[in-house]
Amino acid sequence: MKKSILFLFVIVFASSISAQDFRTPRPSPDATVSQYVGVTKITIDYSCPAVKGRAIWGELVPFGKVWRTGANEVTSITFDDAVKINGNELPAGTYGIHTIPNQNEWEIIFSKDTKVDGGSGYDEAKDALRIKVTPDPNPFTERMTFTFSEMTENSTKVNLNWEKLKVSFNIEVETQKLTLDKARNSFKSGELMAAASYCLQNNINLDEGYKWIQASTMINENYFSTRLLAQYLAKMDKKSEAIATMEKAIEMGSKMPDPPFDFEAMKKMLEDWKK
C-alpha cells in the first residue's frame, strides 16, 4: 500500500514538473535579440558560449570547418520580409546561420535547415545563401553576443562579437515599398491612417495616400483621421475644404476626455490656413 502511494506521489510530482516546463541552467544560456528596420522585424536566436580563458579562434572553433555559430542548437535568424544580405536577395523566413571561420576571411551560410545541433549535421544542399566577410578586431567580449548597429530606415548591420573579434554583415530592406504594399492589403482604419500619414510625412504616393485616409475616415471617423484628411486637402490646394474638415477635427478633439497630443498644433495650423 505504501509503495502504491509513493508511486502515485512520484507520478503526480513528475506531471507537475512537466507542466511547469522544468529546465536546468545551460552553460551557454539561450538569448534572443530583435530589431525592426522600417516595418521589417529581424530576430536572432542563439546561445552565448563564454571564453573562460580558452583560445577560441583556430582552436576551440577550428579554422576551415563548418561551425554552428554558437553552442547548443544552431543559431537562427528570422526575417518578416524579404531582405538583401550584403547585396544578395534572401526571401522572408527563418534560416540557420552556419559559419566557416578563417583567420582573414569568414563564410557566412544562411541555411534552410534550422534543426541542426552541430556542424556534423550540416547539409550544403540546403544552403539559401553564402557570403564572404572579413573579421575585424574588437574589444574583448567574454560571452558571444549578436548586436545590431548603424540602423537606418532601410538598413542595419548585424555583428557577431566574441573574444576579440567582430564579424558583421549588412541587411537592407525596401521599407517604402513594403509599407505601401502592406497598406494596399489592409482593411483596418488604423493601418490605413498610419500608411496615409507615412505618405504625407515623406511626401510620397500622395494620390493613394489620399484614398487611404478617405477610406480610414469612412471606416472610423475620429479626430485623428479627420485632421489628417484636412492636411491632405490642404496639400491638394483645396483650402476651403481643408478648413472645414480641420474645424470638424478640432470640434471632435475638444470633446475628448484628454486633449490629443497635437491638438494645439492643429489649432495653430487651422489659424494659419485662415489667414
Side-chain angles (χ1 to χ4, degrees):
M1 181 67 177
K2 289 182 179 179
K3 289 183 179 180
S4 298
I5 293 174
L6 179 61
F7 178 74
L8 180 61
F9 173 79
V10 170
I11 293 297
V12 171
F13 179 76
S15 299
S16 173
I17 291 295
S18 177
Q20 296 174 29
D21 193 23
F22 175 78
R23 63 184 293 171
T24 57
R26 283 179 151 186
S28 301
D30 298 334
T32 300
V33 61
S34 295
Q35 179 63 51
Y36 272 94
V37 181
V39 295
T40 302
K41 186 177 182 181
I42 303 167
T43 302
I44 303 173
D45 290 297
Y46 65 104
S47 298
C48 307
V51 174
K52 297 181 180 179
R54 299 173 292 183
I56 302 300
W57 309 118
E59 295 196 25
L60 181 66
V61 179
F63 287 143
K65 293 184 178 181
V66 175
W67 179 43
R68 59 186 153 178
T69 320
N72 307 320
E73 300 77 26
V74 69
T75 292
S76 68
I77 187 166
T78 301
F79 307 104
D80 280 1
D81 301 298
V83 299
K84 286 185 178 180
I85 307 293
N86 284 13
N88 301 279
E89 294 185 357
L90 192 64
T94 299
Y95 300 90
I97 300 181
H98 300 279
T99 49
I100 303 177
N102 281 294
Q103 195 161 5
N104 299 314
E105 185 177 71
W106 281 42
E107 280 192 78
I108 301 179
I109 305 163
F110 297 86
S111 171
K112 298 174 185 177
D113 190 356
T114 60
K115 305 298 182 184
V116 180
D117 287 339
S120 59
Y122 163 72
D123 182 356
E124 186 175 348
K126 296 180 180 178
D127 287 2
L129 175 66
R130 279 191 181 218
I131 60 171
K132 293 183 179 182
V133 299
T134 302
D136 294 310
N138 198 53
F140 179 81
T141 304
E142 172 64 22
R143 286 198 176 274
M144 193 189 84
T145 60
F146 278 89
T147 61
F148 293 92
S149 65
E150 301 180 26
M151 285 171 286
T152 71
E153 187 180 82
N154 298 291
S155 64
T156 188
K157 179 177 284 188
V158 173
N159 312 290
L160 183 160
N161 309 283
W162 197 23
E163 200 248 5
K164 295 182 180 179
L165 211 64
K166 177 173 73 174
V167 179
S168 306
F169 58 88
N170 297 313
I171 299 176
E172 296 175 89
V173 295
E174 295 186 79
T175 294
Q176 189 177 108
K177 180 179 183 300
L178 288 167
T179 301
L180 300 181
D181 285 348
K182 290 179 180 183
R184 292 177 184 120
N185 294 321
S186 175
F187 295 95
K188 296 180 180 179
S189 172
E191 292 177 355
L192 290 168
M193 183 175 68
S197 179
Y198 174 80
C199 292
L200 188 65
Q201 290 171 7
N202 291 278
N203 198 35
I204 59 167
N205 201 54
L206 295 178
D207 289 344
E208 200 165 15
Y210 177 55
K211 293 176 183 177
W212 290 337
I213 193 56
Q214 285 181 305
S216 175
T217 306
M218 289 176 65
I219 296 169
N220 182 17
E221 187 179 44
N222 55 44
Y223 163 79
F224 296 103
S225 60
T226 306
R227 61 92 157 96
L228 187 57
L229 177 59
Q231 292 174 71
Y232 264 92
L233 291 167
K235 188 83 172 177
M236 298 161 63
D237 292 325
K238 297 182 178 182
K239 190 172 182 180
S240 59
E241 291 182 55
I243 289 172
T245 304
M246 185 62 81
E247 286 177 337
K248 186 176 183 180
I250 296 300
E251 183 181 358
M252 291 176 174
S254 67
K255 295 177 181 178
M256 295 172 66
D258 298 306
F261 72 94
D262 61 353
F263 194 53
E264 294 302 318
M266 292 301 105
K267 290 199 293 186
K268 177 67 167 58
M269 187 178 291
L270 178 59
E271 290 175 9
D272 292 341
W273 289 349
K274 288 182 176 180
K275 290 178 182 178

